[in-house]
Amino acid sequence: MTMISKDVLEKDNSARESALRQDYDHLGEQLARRSIAIDEVKARVSAYGVAVPSWGVGTGGTRFARFPGAGEPRHIFDKLEDCGVIQQLTRATPAVSLHIPWDKDDPKALLAKAEELGLTFDAMNSNTFQDQDGQEKSYKFGSLSHTDAATRAQAVEHNLECIEIGKAIGSKALTIWIGDGSNFPGQANFTRQFERYLGAAKQIYAALPGDWRLFTEHKMYEPAFYSTVVQDWGTNYMIAQELGDQAYCLVDLGHHAPNVNIEMIVARLIQFGKLGGFHFNDSKYGDDDLDTGSIDPYRLFLVFNELVDAETRRAPGFNPAHMLDQSHNVTDPIESLMVSAMEVQRAYAQALLVDRKALEGFQESNDALMATGTLKTAFRTDVEPILAMARLEQGAAIDPVATYRASGYRAKVAGIRPAVSGAGGGIV
Amino acid sequence: MTMISKDVLEKDNSARESALRQDYDHLGEQLARRSIAIDEVKARVSAYGVAVPSWGVGTGGTRFARFPGAGEPRHIFDKLEDCGVIQQLTRATPAVSLHIPWDKDDPKALLAKAEELGLTFDAMNSNTFQDQDGQEKSYKFGSLSHTDAATRAQAVEHNLECIEIGKAIGSKALTIWIGDGSNFPGQANFTRQFERYLGAAKQIYAALPGDWRLFTEHKMYEPAFYSTVVQDWGTNYMIAQELGDQAYCLVDLGHHAPNVNIEMIVARLIQFGKLGGFHFNDSKYGDDDLDTGSIDPYRLFLVFNELVDAETRRAPGFNPAHMLDQSHNVTDPIESLMVSAMEVQRAYAQALLVDRKALEGFQESNDALMATGTLKTAFRTDVEPILAMARLEQGAAIDPVATYRASGYRAKVAGIRPAVSGAGGGIV
Amino acid sequence: MTMISKDVLEKDNSARESALRQDYDHLGEQLARRSIAIDEVKARVSAYGVAVPSWGVGTGGTRFARFPGAGEPRHIFDKLEDCGVIQQLTRATPAVSLHIPWDKDDPKALLAKAEELGLTFDAMNSNTFQDQDGQEKSYKFGSLSHTDAATRAQAVEHNLECIEIGKAIGSKALTIWIGDGSNFPGQANFTRQFERYLGAAKQIYAALPGDWRLFTEHKMYEPAFYSTVVQDWGTNYMIAQELGDQAYCLVDLGHHAPNVNIEMIVARLIQFGKLGGFHFNDSKYGDDDLDTGSIDPYRLFLVFNELVDAETRRAPGFNPAHMLDQSHNVTDPIESLMVSAMEVQRAYAQALLVDRKALEGFQESNDALMATGTLKTAFRTDVEPILAMARLEQGAAIDPVATYRASGYRAKVAGIRPAVSGAGGGIV
Amino acid sequence: MTMISKDVLEKDNSARESALRQDYDHLGEQLARRSIAIDEVKARVSAYGVAVPSWGVGTGGTRFARFPGAGEPRHIFDKLEDCGVIQQLTRATPAVSLHIPWDKDDPKALLAKAEELGLTFDAMNSNTFQDQDGQEKSYKFGSLSHTDAATRAQAVEHNLECIEIGKAIGSKALTIWIGDGSNFPGQANFTRQFERYLGAAKQIYAALPGDWRLFTEHKMYEPAFYSTVVQDWGTNYMIAQELGDQAYCLVDLGHHAPNVNIEMIVARLIQFGKLGGFHFNDSKYGDDDLDTGSIDPYRLFLVFNELVDAETRRAPGFNPAHMLDQSHNVTDPIESLMVSAMEVQRAYAQALLVDRKALEGFQESNDALMATGTLKTAFRTDVEPILAMARLEQGAAIDPVATYRASGYRAKVAGIRPAVSGAGGGIV
């Protein structure tokens, strides 16, 4: 089943193919001068995928307001269809990451729908930062680190349920992000709180299937505004060490203090065998959850420079999971996710172009100017022809946004899915 | 009408009065050694009030979740009653600031209720950052600065309505905060957007009664995450200049970039006659809206040091409005507002203790150590006896939180006001 | 007089010319598809220049240490020769900005040397942040804002001297940056201090020739660590307003609070007719003075997007001065300045490629995704062939760093100029 | 040998003693009401000391300039005398921390001088961030992590020498802070660089006497402005783990990213047995090295709240070293160090006043308002009478700054020690 008609796709592609081939050929010549085989780069880009979060296809919001768009998905099956569009047009997003309980449904139906759309399921995400109807204990004052043992038990139980659902749909990882922390100095005892967290996390870890990985995610602040239990990569690393070999640290690009060198954190976690993967997005201020690469594309490239460096020197146990995690407040989420997946591929392709042998030489001789110039040469290469050709050859769109708009998909689902009211936000 | 029974109040006070008098007397002796008359300080503190925002008495939340407490106010009249409690027990919060349309109701009924509770109405707050049912145009892409003239007109019209309501209930100021901005580079043309904002603001200003003031509020980010139209005090100052003599800048303590020296901004706005007033709160990361003085009490003191300095040298046109603006996510809002109002008074009292003549001498001779020591001496004086005595003498509580808890007010209103579900946040 | 031999230059160019012509032609075809004439872009790039600071050709340092390189310039004539190399190889840096008293010398000799090297003199820079031998008053506690009138007078006098020197060598602007501020709360009275600053600045302004401009520069912190007199663009704008029509604000890209949207500040200053110009550099943490575009090249592009937008709509009075201001601690300063000048040109060229008509349409219809995509399309275009061709056609180097290294210039001057000891830094 | 005459001291004390006794008695009554025995608090404060850095008694500077004061110490013996003044007047600074090679001298002479002044020697500090005359290899591109093995060996050797000197003078710890990092993306390979660092650090660790501790210090940036090898506590913790049981993390309060919750980092390091100690100071922007407690005294208190919490529950292996590390640019360093030592004691005393049993109860029941109020009650208690009485009873000054000024010490040494020129800074 394809969400976008092949006619629309082919028509749009055929109008762009000739220029693409010219650009691809010329870029091939340029890269050949640098001793790079363009087809090899294209092959690696084609093989590269980033997971889409199920919640990403709905319009996001802030504590002040949410302004839904037309055709908001009603449930996980609508969400999967939207994800199917993204994968069909980009061939960059083969997997979907579910959030429980938001996406809870019959595993068989989920699997069938995914198969129909050519999708698989990535890491499972638990939710202990919100209260749900019918839930006995409230997470107002924390979940896995709550002072109350019964609340911690409820949160552990929920994570175990996520693992069970994941097993039924072929997932191989659980991602835990909690909002636990405090809003006032003294509200929580940092040490006791972290001890409780570790105790609860160990219970979850104990239930992890042998071929699964556990990802824990750090975040500096929000929703807690004075302290957060898993506040930075240092604490996250402690957790991964305490839990064991299947536990890894997840890096969300928007979860750090101002000015922090994120690519260095990535390098450290790789070096010590604890990089689990990424939540890609971009940010200017806090956890803005903006589209990947939209604010600082060079930083994204520098992160990928570390990843390709680790690939190149075959860092032991290096196998990071890649997922987008964004909040689309003012764009069509499908468009933002397509563009963001392509930005991730772009950064990867650029990082593949780095002349690593030359770079190593400049580093050894402390030729800072030429070393950084080596990165810049790769970064400023316009690799769009490589990405587009990879898409074309896989039956996807040369220009996914143009094809998507031409297809009228949004209007079509808006006719089926009811309009959603956006009044209100969390603040009132 | 008093919300808390006088018996409870008097009982709690009588248990504390003796110790208070001892402490007050001893502090009086200490201050006398510094040539300060404690009763004069007490008199100035007694005369000092800070307005309470109507929305502050409800439990706040984040985009992730909101966890309501018991007895959440159902409407503006419940809110006014909660504000009445705060004023009764602290005598520090004589006025309430309304938010339209949240608090829209019959002006006569509002006035009557306020009078009954011994309250008045402070600045009016308009809302063009959310869509409301029945509203024709959406603010998804802005309000006063929207590219669409009809949307701007709707936003202007709403502000004019706020003025009208304010006139009917005795308010003398309008506060405008907008969330307008952009989430992506290029989404908005900064210059055109600001031109449109100024055009719309001028229409509102033109409708301002001659004895009113217009307060505009800057904020670095949120809900917009790449750019914000009124992003800092520089832009805010431009606005106040463009509009005219009745236009002033409002400073919210949580709306600045990291590390910014806020007390210096306050000084600059005073110097150029454009400080309108404050939204008090505290923050560690972004616009955290934490309780005033809970994170960095010395910074609050330094702000008040500027205010008392301006009072002392009778800065022309200096008459700032003071309001709390906080989000109470994990505490009883009434308790947080009482404590916060007292923190504001505390900073004011401490600033009154600064030996300004000595300070000036140290400043002139660049004796940095003694100058800063002069501030520290004032700051580390425990002025609680002054605040408590001021309350006692006005019939309020020596320990407002203790009296409030003893009164059982929260349980009582929880019996009347229905429980509110907190499921969900803006993110889904 | 040319610093680098034409033989070396031509030899290096001839090895690169053929590939360049291919790339230029193909880029021309690509741009033609976007209705852009590549030769017009090249012409505008060729006409564009950025000034070099005389002090930039020496190795910089931190308070901890300075590690000089070989062949450090001994005096302003050595510095001018180094600047001559940069201009010869890039044709992007036609002017040099002097710093007094560091560069004080016979004006006629300066003019003659500059003419010989094909250079002119840009804005004059005064220095009241250091004490100099023979100077009567110390700037330890400030200069133009000092509490002592005689110290202020000395600082004013020094600025007047800078104007006199500038008049003799053809400069048309004075740039004032002061380090005045305080390290402790209370050390200075913010208002009095700013009053004194304004008083002194007015004296300097009064002596400004009618065809000169006065640039004042803001900076958040350093060398003062609690407060700075001209701490941000808001205060800087107040100064420019107070002084008059010849006074403008200078924006140094590294002088802002974390996360601040600098391109928006640029837009505001343009809109209100007060943008004087730039000190270009890049930074990750504070005023790091790193090479322009080395950390966040997209931010640099966004600044130029505002400048080209202002050019396009012919913003009244828009005529910004452009200068590099960097500290080269670990690279050959000549190389860093050449690369940085080219990065400035690159950002300018990319900004010229923005389809402004399409952008305006997307902005009007709030199509955020396509608007930001329009900027990205321009940014990711590899404009190196345009810059290189512009250089080639002006007799400069296709690859200035390669030519410079081939020339052996650094070794040559190292043979003439004595080695400098780098022991020590400011901290001891 | 005492640096300040006993007559001066006693005269100043006698004028203040009566008021002090009144204040102490009244505070004793207040604390008794809270079930706190004031004499016990005083005893713990009396037993508490913080080390003084030898370099702290000289006037500091920035890369822009240094403005020396009168009577700058010429060598380590002058520095020790200044430290003797601080200890005599405050009895809060019994030890001095040396910096090699700055303080290198005959160990016997150092020991004799220290004994004479009643001082001992704290941790040794190595210096591989500056080049010294006669040193073969330059640290321009790093020291312990340099790409060149001989440079690393030189840096290791220097640290071993510091240990040897330390052994001779009774020190029991080595503190390593390096400036290694990079100024450009790509300049250094993060992983290789950290591997080299660990290799070199292990060599130093291997030479550590069995009763010594090794402290490594992290810092976000400066002097490196893109990346720093030991950039944060996460990397620091990895180092301490890799090295072994005698390796600990040192926390300098000014070395973190903006907004970071430092007290939580302290708690984490205590919990995992790796907190080595502190470099106390305060900061508003970067590593400002301002006087301890001068900018955010509540943050200092919150750090001490963690320390007292750890003391109270007898955290295993908890034995942090305390040192001041400040740059005194505009004050008399002796005065700043005295005041700062007292601020450290003040925070300690306030933290001792926290009702920990009540706090624990509020934490258990998630009573955030009362929990934070419990901290605030302790913080806002003016403990000056406790500190002053502790000083008086140990023969120190009630008001050390007043006594110091009355003594004329600075003028006296200015007559002996020659004036120092302050021209220039690192930037030129």
Side-chain angles (χ1 to χ4, degrees), chain A residues 23 32 54 77 89 116 120 122 146 170 193 204 212 220 241 263 265 279 301 338 369 374 380 385 397 426:
Chain A
D23 289 347
S54 69
F77 298 100
L89 296 182
E116 189 181 84
T120 59
D122 202 71
H146 201 287
Q193 193 177 35
I204 299 168
W212 275 49
M220 192 195 199
Q241 278 195 313
E263 53 270 27
I265 293 173
H279 277 184
F301 164 80
M338 291 194 300
L369 189 113
T374 302
R380 72 172 183 242

Side-chain angles (χ1 to χ4, degrees), chain B residues 143-166:
Chain B
S143 59
L144 293 176
S145 77
H146 200 288
T147 53
D148 174 53
T151 308
R152 295 198 299 276
Q154 174 182 289
V156 168
E157 193 54 45
H158 168 68
N159 276 282
L160 301 189
E161 184 196 9
C162 290
I163 295 174
E164 288 310 306
I165 296 171

